[in-house]
Amino acid sequence: MARDLLIGVDAGTSVIKSVAFTASGEQVGACARPNRYRTVEGVGAEQDMADTWADAAATLRGLADVVPGLADRVAAIAVTAQGDGTWLVDAEGEPAGPALIWLDARAAAITEDLRASPVGRRHFESTGSGLAACQMGPQLLWLERHRPDVMARAATAFHLKDWLYFKLTGDRAADASEGVHSFGDFRTMAYAPAAIDGLGLRGSLLPPIIDGSSRTGSLGWDAARAIGFGEGLPVCLGPIDIVATALGAGLYDPERDTGCTIVGSTGMHMRIARSAEAVRLNPEGTGYTLAFPVPGTFAQLQSNMASTLNIDWLVDLARGVLKQHGVEKSRTDIFLDLDDHVLAAEAGTLLYHPYISEAGERGPFVDAAARAQFHGLSARHDFNDLMRAVYEGLGFAARDCYAAMGPIPPEVRITGGAARSKALRVILGAALGTRIRSSRREEAGAAGAAMVAAVATGLAPDMESCIDRWVTPTLGEAQNPDPALAERYDRLFPAYTAARRASAPVWRAMRAAADDENDRRNAP
């Protein structure tokens, strides 16, 4: 039987899934399980490493139940996963302790000190990525201070996809998209001793960087028994999930400059830099520069902490009021005609900053104290006006992020659950002043990982031809921005940025007052 299928494993924060594709990119089956992590010490977030491997293995076994003859047809498995975090193993390959995932904010104070010092700027200029509490570097420093027993056992520091690749193959490796943005120099695409030593870390913890599109591992005997596939099957280490998703959703186009926005719980905004010289580093030292699976190219990323979480908050606020009066409505009920109400509301009568996350904001500025806010409220505004302002706030936040990376691309491809919203597409296109195209690809992250495997195994001659077969057919028609709406948003955007800068002292004063109150309550 022909080896004509590829599997992409995408281990996200909410869901772990395995997805099967044909060599031309058609999805033929999927199996998913909820991801499990726990919150500790208020702002910590840990994940059991053995459980995560067991869940990933279960999705691969389940996929074989969905796709007939899968074990005999699969040509390769590729892995991608949630980014950042710290997954430590000992010399025998056993977990040194629970993993710290990207949601863990216990290294926030360490990160703030680093960012305020020359070390932070030097690290940014080397890696092209601003230091953040979610990253391995600050988390390793936190572990050294607070979990020295774990660090004493640690022999290798993985990211999640590296851990899964290790469990599948027995090989200790990292890929450039995470290895370089954490501890490297994006100009050389290798680890940089200055970036490692500057943080005072052991370079021996870091596994070698490999290119998953040109080098594969082999499925080990133990893993083969665990997932029900043949020993020796090629296994590819894919890029970080953000890059894999951008690849599958159409960030790279050989003929034009494009951007990609992922509209999910968080907002991810990316542009392609076609050389190291084209990378734009901003004065604030924020954002990420990530190696992209097309030789010589990079994905520059800015991420606003909360995207659709802002919409969920306001919808749930309305549901709560209705429930108090005996009316039960689900989110789905309210979303049914929400687009119509948002588009019918008058544009630009309010400003909203979408900093609804308790963790504050991370792009294009970093401030853990930042909080959401409306400007311009009056008695004439109703629920639909507020919701329109929230959608517009997401559009302005996207523009704020793109502006930190250079000119806004003439076309932005969007993916994520909220990309199906007509209102969001209209408002985002006008706020950015650019064409919008939606990706119809359901599992863009798993597809991006599988595309790396297609090139690695020779099922595709190179990534550009793979994009032509896998991505281009999934893109919708380009939607041009409404000129009048774009002009109105152009006039409002300076007020949006001025208001968020002016609010910083207010946010910090409110956080200080809250901290004082917590200290008073906890005093003996």
Side-chain angles (χ1 to χ4, degrees):
M1 188 175 292
R3 296 279 182 176
D4 59 346
L5 297 181
L6 297 160
I7 296 174
V9 179
D10 184 358
T13 309
S14 301
V15 177
I16 298 173
K17 64 193 75 168
S18 292
V19 187
F21 302 91
T22 66
S24 59
E26 179 189 357
Q27 182 176 319
V28 295
C31 181
R33 278 198 170 195
N35 185 47
R36 296 174 285 169
Y37 66 88
R38 64 191 184 100
T39 301
V40 295
E41 301 176 22
V43 296
E46 295 180 351
Q47 194 161 320
D48 185 279
M49 295 176 64
D51 286 349
T52 304
W53 160 241
D55 288 339
T59 66
L60 285 163
R61 292 194 304 272
L63 184 62
D65 295 333
V66 175
V67 181
L70 180 62
D72 294 324
R73 296 178 62 191
V74 63
I77 298 171
V79 292
T80 184
Q82 55 172 282
D84 289 322
T86 305
W87 299 65
L88 299 174
V89 299
D90 63 20
E92 286 71 43
E94 295 298 321
L100 276 59
I101 67 171
W102 69 275
L103 289 170
D104 195 299
R106 286 175 289 185
I110 293 172
T111 305
E112 287 181 6
D113 290 344
L114 288 170
R115 289 183 60 84
S117 74
V119 169
R121 186 67 199 183
R122 288 197 296 269
H123 190 89
F124 176 66
E125 290 178 353
S126 177
T127 63
S129 300
L131 284 167
C134 61
Q135 293 173 2
M136 183 185 287
Q139 288 185 353
L140 286 172
L141 293 176
W142 185 89
L143 285 164
E144 285 185 344
R145 297 181 189 182
H146 300 279
R147 301 288 187 273
D149 57 322
V150 172
M151 291 298 291
R153 291 191 295 272
T156 306
F158 288 136
H159 292 98
L160 172 51
K161 60 178 173 46
D162 310 332
W163 162 244
L164 296 179
Y165 181 78
F166 172 71
K167 292 298 292 183
L168 288 165
T169 66
D171 297 337
R172 300 182 188 228
D175 93 298
S177 69
E178 286 200 288
V180 173
H181 104 251
S182 298
F183 303 109
D185 185 333
F186 70 88
R187 300 161 190 84
T188 64
M189 295 292 288
Y191 289 129
I196 301 167
D197 298 342
L199 297 179
L201 297 172
R202 281 188 285 147
S204 60
L205 285 172
L206 305 179
I209 293 173
I210 66 171
D211 178 1
S213 64
S214 60
R215 174 178 167 182
T216 63
S218 298
L219 186 64
W221 185 79
D222 288 337
R225 290 206 329 169
I227 66 175
F229 291 76
E231 183 181 2
L233 181 71
V235 180
C236 298
L237 180 57
I240 184 175
D241 61 350
I242 302 166
V243 170
T245 300
L247 176 63
L251 172 59
Y252 183 83
D253 189 314
E255 297 179 355
R256 70 194 79 180
D257 289 333
T258 55
C260 180
T261 285
I262 305 171
V263 191
S265 298
T266 62
M268 304 286 185
H269 312 285
M270 288 167 274
R271 64 178 285 269
I272 279 288
R274 298 181 188 271
S275 66
E277 292 73 25
V279 170
R280 305 284 188 93
L281 300 182
N282 59 51
E284 293 80 10
T286 63
Y288 284 36
T289 300
L290 303 169
F292 199 73
V294 174
T297 64
F298 302 85
Q300 281 204 265
L301 163 73
Q302 287 281 347
S303 173
N304 55 296
M305 187 72 77
S307 185
T308 59
L309 292 177
N310 292 271
I311 300 171
D312 294 342
W313 161 74
L314 190 53
V315 166
D316 288 346
L317 194 69
R319 291 174 60 220
V321 173
L322 291 171
K323 187 174 181 179
Q324 288 176 356
H325 294 275
V327 179
E328 292 280 353
K329 291 286 185 180
S330 68
R331 283 185 182 174
T332 303
D333 293 332
I334 294 178
F335 281 132
L336 284 175
D337 58 356
L338 190 60
D339 268 10
D340 294 336
H341 291 302
V342 167
L343 290 173
E346 186 178 354
T349 65
L350 294 168
L351 285 177
Y352 176 76
H353 292 101
Y355 314 141
I356 203 71
S357 170
E358 292 283 355
E361 191 49 279
R362 64 184 178 188
F365 65 98
V366 176
D367 192 336
R371 290 296 180 268
Q373 55 198 9
F374 287 99
H375 289 269
L377 280 170
S378 72
R380 75 181 181 89
H381 290 113
D382 62 16
F383 174 82
N384 294 328
D385 293 315
L386 297 182
M387 187 59 80
R388 170 109 195 187
V390 169
Y391 277 55
E392 291 172 339
L394 298 181
F396 286 140
R399 178 167 174 166
D400 211 6
C401 285
Y402 275 111
M405 299 184 287
I408 296 174
E411 181 172 298
V412 170
R413 281 87 186 264
I414 63 172
T415 186
R420 293 188 292 269
S421 165
K422 178 183 177 182
L424 187 68
R425 295 195 303 271
V426 168
I427 289 170
L428 180 64
L432 295 175
T434 194
R435 294 189 306 275
I436 296 291
R437 294 184 79 179
S438 297
S439 169
R440 294 188 295 270
R441 172 69 73 184
E442 291 182 10
E443 301 292 352
M451 290 168 69
V452 172
V455 174
T457 57
L459 290 175
D462 54 51
M463 191 56 74
E464 289 193 359
S465 64
C466 192
I467 288 169
D468 189 52
R469 296 177 70 190
W470 284 59
V471 177
T472 304
T474 70
L475 296 174
E477 291 295 320
Q479 178 179 324
N480 291 316
D482 178 287
L485 189 59
E487 182 182 359
R488 182 157 194 173
Y489 289 158
D490 276 345
R491 294 196 303 268
L492 281 173
F493 182 65
Y496 174 90
T497 55
R500 65 107 159 146
R501 292 189 180 99
S503 298
V506 179
W507 299 330
R508 289 165 193 159
M510 292 180 69
R511 183 173 71 171
D515 290 344
D516 289 345
E517 180 62 17
N518 287 333
D519 291 343
R520 185 189 66 78
R521 290 177 180 174
N522 296 327

